Amino acid sequence: AAERLLVNGRIYQAGAEHASWLRIVGSTIAELGSGSPPATGHDKVQVVDLKGKFVLPGLHDSHIHTYSVGEALYFVNLKGCESIDELKQRVKRHAEAHRELSWIIGVQWAQHEMGGAYPCAGDLDDAMGEDPRPVFLWRACWHIGCANTSALAAAGLGAHMAIPSTPGGVVDVDSDGVPTGVLRERATDLITPFTEEKDPEVRRRYFEAGVAQARLTLRHTHSLSLSLSLTHTRARAHAQS
């Protein structure tokens, strides 16, 4: 079996000081230690000088939401927006860059960073222009969101529709009783059931993006929360890879 000897590293050991060398035979860690590495015994051993780099075992994560991690990469990041105009520009650019998305979802806005102003449905309508897609933007706390007119209509919150009872939540309305687009606490539940992406190809893209992120630090993951339709999507993605 092929043999490798990793030397001059900082190699993690649970409950012990870092080792400095690691011997691998085939795909098995044969031994590790500190100080002078063992003699190789023959010239076919591949010696790798880690030059002080850190070595961590491949981690297995049994509770990671792989799909959600990938999905979040397609949210528009509104952190640091200093005005409603800046927020609108970010939404506009994101929507133009991602024509494939059925909903435009944003995160991390905060009214105190925008002079105290909350975004409203009209602001988001302006940002989208002729684009009819629904928009929902989560505040940084995830307890408040803002929807455009299309999103409000999808949730049954149009200008001439009766506002459903929302125990534990508030639908902000203007002086005429028309929803402004701001939903608080449990009122966000009126919107969220509609925001899930339905296009199987986009869903596959989310999952693959999540897997790519996981590969940066993990060897294996379990995604037990996958829906049946997403499991089929995952199977197709695996078959095509």
Side-chain angles (χ1 to χ4, degrees), residues 8 25 32 42 44 48 53 56 83 99 107 115 117 136 142 145 163 173 176 179 195 213 217:
N8 300 324
V25 179
L32 76 167
H42 54 81
K44 293 185 178 180
V48 179
K53 292 181 179 179
L56 185 70
S83 68
R99 298 287 184 183
V107 294
F136 192 64
W142 292 85
I163 298 175
V173 297
D176 295 319
T195 62
Q213 286 293 110
T217 55

Side-chain angles (χ1 to χ4, degrees), residues 117-198:
Y118 281 76
C120 67
D123 294 324
L124 306 189
D125 292 345
D126 287 345
M128 296 297 286
E130 298 298 316
D131 190 332
R133 286 179 293 174
V135 179
F136 192 64
L137 309 180
W138 287 100
R139 190 187 180 280
C141 63
W142 292 85
H143 288 265
I144 300 173
C146 182
N148 71 343
T149 299
S150 294
L152 290 172
L157 295 172
H160 303 292
M161 300 177 182
I163 298 175
S165 174
T166 54
V170 175
V171 177
D172 284 15
V173 297
D174 62 18
S175 57
D176 295 319
V178 176
T180 65
V182 174
L183 308 177
R184 303 173 187 270
E185 300 294 349
R186 296 307 297 269
T188 60
D189 293 345
L190 299 171
I191 292 279
T192 52
F194 300 95
T195 62
E196 182 177 352
E197 181 60 56
K198 302 299 191 297

Side-chain angles (χ1 to χ4, degrees), residues 48-62:
V48 179
D49 188 349
L50 297 175
K51 299 179 180 179
K53 292 181 179 179
F54 185 65
V55 177
L56 185 70
L59 300 178
H60 295 228
D61 194 309
S62 62

